[in-house]
Amino acid sequence: MTKLIAEIAVEKTALHFDKIYDYIIPENLLESAQIGCRVIVPFGNSPRRQGIIVSIFEETEAKKGLKRIKELLDSEPVLSKEMLAMAKFMKERYYCTFYEACAAMLPAGLGMKLTYAYTYTQDGAEAENLSADESMLINFLIARKKPVRHDILLKNMGFSDDSLLIKLCKKGYILKKEVIKKRFLEPTVKMVRICEGADIPERLSPKQSEVVSLLQTAGECSVKELNYFLGVTSAVSDGLVKKGICEYFEEEAPKYIPSVESKPKQQPVIFLTDEQQKAYDDLLERQNSGKASVSLLYGITGSGKTSVFMKLIDNAVDVNNGNVIVMVPEISLTPQLLNKFTTRYGDRVAIFHSGLPIGKRLEEWKRVKNGEAKIAVGTRSAIFAPFDKISLIVMDEEQEYTYKSSATPRFHARELAKFRCAENNCLLLLSSATPSVESFYFANEGRYGLQVLKTRYGTAQLPEVITADMNIEQEQGNMSAYSSKLLEAIEENLKNQKQSIILLNRRGHNTFVSCRSCKEVISCPNCSISLTYHSVNHRLMCHYCGYSIPVPKKCPACGSEKLRFGGTGTQRAEEELSEIFPNARVLRLDTDSTMQRFAYEKKLAQFANGEYDILLGTQMVAKGLDFPNVTLVGVINADQMLYGGDFRSYERAFSLLTQVVGRSGRGNFEGKAIIQTYAPENPIIALAKSQNYDKFYNSEIKLRKAMIYPPFSDIGVVAFVGTNRNLVEKSAQHFSELLKEKLANEYKGMPLVILGPAPALVSKISNKYRYRLILKFRNNKAFRSLLSSLLCELGADRNYSEVTVYADINPENIM
């Protein structure tokens, strides 16, 4: 008898035994089971695992021992054949499991969780000699009539564990069954406050006393903020809750849901300059060709690149009734772009980024899948928008590192965009004022199209850029973070009621604390990194693991009281600025000042409305922002961007400096930018000052070629992480030996450069040691087969079961 067999990708499989597994489709699911639907299947010792159907075929005689699908989770496919093909592409190139690739494409609100529910039996209803708790529980189940989920039952009964449930199940009084719980909870913030009428004892631990004192003053605060300001862990507040002094409660997290016009306003006509029109005509020809292609729109800051790709979107949506994906590198840039899109296209726009509430994310995903939205705008996750057919993909600021995922699967959105364009025979448009070296190389080689915008739009001109030599400033006795040139420019801007942006890419107050006697720098015990002083909470903090301590009075190493605070962070820069200009309204934007959800968007809106005079922050203030009243940009300590130890350090520094300088003079007023440096002769500083990307590229590409770096090779990092330093090092050495052995035998002649293994630049994070092997290679099928086999072989070796091993191809940082 013919049977239908489903090939299924199953969750929670290790890489070394990840494959597509066969399952029999039972008769009751023959008509409803489809490719792309999620299912529940037995797997190994687990009776229930989620999976997704990859293909279906007929088998006249099914293999012996094949298991059956237990349950179908979807009435229609959640992934199309195109998306399943992309999952296969991701598995092969990013060394993840098939299911991990599929899961990355689905919105969080669509997830399912297996849990348990309980219901009473007839024996339970008639049981005698029950304890008070047992009677109460059974009566509760009888009253509810329907099965009650495990977590809800424990919460309502006030039970701390499920021992009573287990006991009653064994007696046959209640039944336990598995159920599927939808992961559809809106985000909340965990808050803490003192219980009303609480009797606070005199004897509390010092940390508990600090928490109580703060809550008596503030009333309530989030656990996250409590831990930050007092440097405590959640264990302290947990202890106060157990004693009945404090209580936790959930507060709905602030929601950022951009307003979307149900009907678009009358579309303003986009007027293009001759230069823009030439670029648009060339791109339109590519767009209408019906062939897959990639093109780079390279234009200086303020040249009107957005206007060009907006007209292309008009053609795709209004003329050809097509679908469009538009990606931006950061959530913070989404609101500005969204305002343009929603005004122009109304509810045909869907929003994709992790900052949205889970329910909203699911709703937007469904709107795209059901054909209600034609344009998906968002961060890298927008590349997974479930369009059946795509007419255009736009990648704004294509050089940004945030398009690369740092977690499994470690994909780059640009590579997936190329895949989807090839599948849909459409145009991928990359847009940037400072393109990645690889993209500009491919454009010059003819692999990509190239359109260039050399002048700013309208009357706007590039700002005057001045270099401030901080060596001279210190010789003249100026030891502050600000040069005299920058202070004079800020003062003039304040008088003229113009706004300024100051970039300092270091948060905290001081970047390190050292001892003048023994020269020891106070470091994190969990990470191989120095602690940063934060003046807001008066603590030394680790920016990797969150460890913090009060500022010590003596050196922990030698006991000397001669401690020195060095380096300048945004908190100190803000403090100095407020002292020099007491009447200036200063807005600081960094990770610490934007802890609350959507604080960044709100603060940027306040700056745009003129509520602040000076915007001071880390790199989040440098990119994509368009404020017509900003006529001054200052860069503090430009040098620290240049020496990151990575081959992309110069590229990142040039891009960041060029981008932040480009924030000045974008309106009808002349702009100025001042770059502070101790190395004014550095060529990157000089090139950023002149905004000369072409000269930078010509210099950088020669260096890349000489060192065999991308685009002249691919580069990858094989990382080894674990708590046992010797075992981590041993696993890295063993992997390296296996690699060399394979290169000498079955992969003989493969061009491959091996560097290491060696400790990572930050060799320990959160008490986990990190080693890495750097590879330079050609990313072809043979190399992928080699690396995959090595990862599987080491993953299956029980000697290294405590070591996590992963590969990251073309990462943003190899150190």
Side-chain angles (χ1 to χ4, degrees), residues 383-539:
I383 196 58
F384 300 128
F387 288 120
D388 287 333
K389 183 69 179 173
I390 301 172
S391 298
L392 173 68
I393 298 179
V394 177
M395 211 170 165
D396 200 18
E397 305 293 353
E398 66 89 26
Q399 81 286 352
E400 287 298 329
Y401 71 92
T402 49
Y403 284 122
K404 178 75 165 68
S405 172
S406 58
T408 303
R410 293 175 170 82
F411 66 88
H412 198 297
R414 183 171 52 230
E415 299 307 310
L416 298 189
K418 289 179 186 177
F419 178 89
R420 296 204 74 178
C421 284
E423 292 288 303
N424 289 273
N425 290 316
C426 68
L427 170 66
L428 167 60
L429 177 60
L430 309 175
S431 174
S432 179
T434 54
S436 64
V437 170
E438 292 92 328
S439 291
F440 202 63
Y441 174 79
F442 294 146
N444 283 318
E445 290 291 301
R447 290 169 62 176
Y448 295 173
L450 178 62
Q451 294 75 36
V452 181
L453 303 177
K454 295 182 178 180
T455 56
R456 277 196 160 186
Y457 184 80
T459 58
Q461 299 294 319
L462 282 172
E464 174 193 7
V465 184
I466 300 167
T467 302
D469 189 337
M470 296 305 289
N471 297 296
I472 296 174
E473 291 286 333
Q474 289 195 356
E475 287 173 5
Q476 295 174 347
N478 180 9
M479 306 304 290
S480 78
Y482 298 91
S483 65
S484 54
K485 290 180 181 178
L486 182 53
L487 291 176
E488 289 170 7
I490 292 172
E491 185 174 15
E492 183 181 352
N493 242 27
L494 290 170
K495 287 179 182 177
N496 296 330
Q497 296 184 328
K498 296 293 184 288
Q499 292 175 299
S500 308
I501 292 178
I502 309 295
L503 169 67
L504 173 57
N505 207 20
R506 279 286 186 271
R507 65 188 182 100
H509 192 277
N510 296 98
T511 55
F512 67 91
V513 179
S514 63
C515 176
R516 295 180 187 273
S517 297
C518 68
K519 313 303 180 187
E520 190 77 15
V521 175
I522 301 178
S523 300
C524 175
N526 308 317
C527 309
S528 53
I529 199 75
S530 62
L531 296 176
T532 299
Y533 171 56
H534 284 237
S535 59
V536 175
N537 58 3
H538 304 293
R539 302 182 71 83

Side-chain angles (χ1 to χ4, degrees), residues 16 63 92 104 133 226 231 281 466 469 613 619 761 766 778:
H16 62 273
K63 298 176 186 176
E92 291 173 352
D133 282 346
L226 185 77
D281 290 341
I466 300 167
D469 189 337
D613 304 307
Q619 63 180 357
L761 186 63
S766 297
R778 291 176 185 166

Side-chain angles (χ1 to χ4, degrees), residues 557-591:
C558 72
S560 169
E561 295 183 358
K562 296 179 181 180
L563 295 179
R564 180 175 75 90
F565 291 74
T568 298
T570 49
Q571 292 177 4
R572 181 181 172 189
E574 178 190 26
E575 191 177 281
E576 285 189 16
L577 205 56
S578 297
E579 288 174 359
I580 299 168
F581 303 108
N583 295 322
R585 298 167 299 171
V586 182
L587 174 63
R588 175 169 58 88
L589 275 186
D590 56 25
T591 307

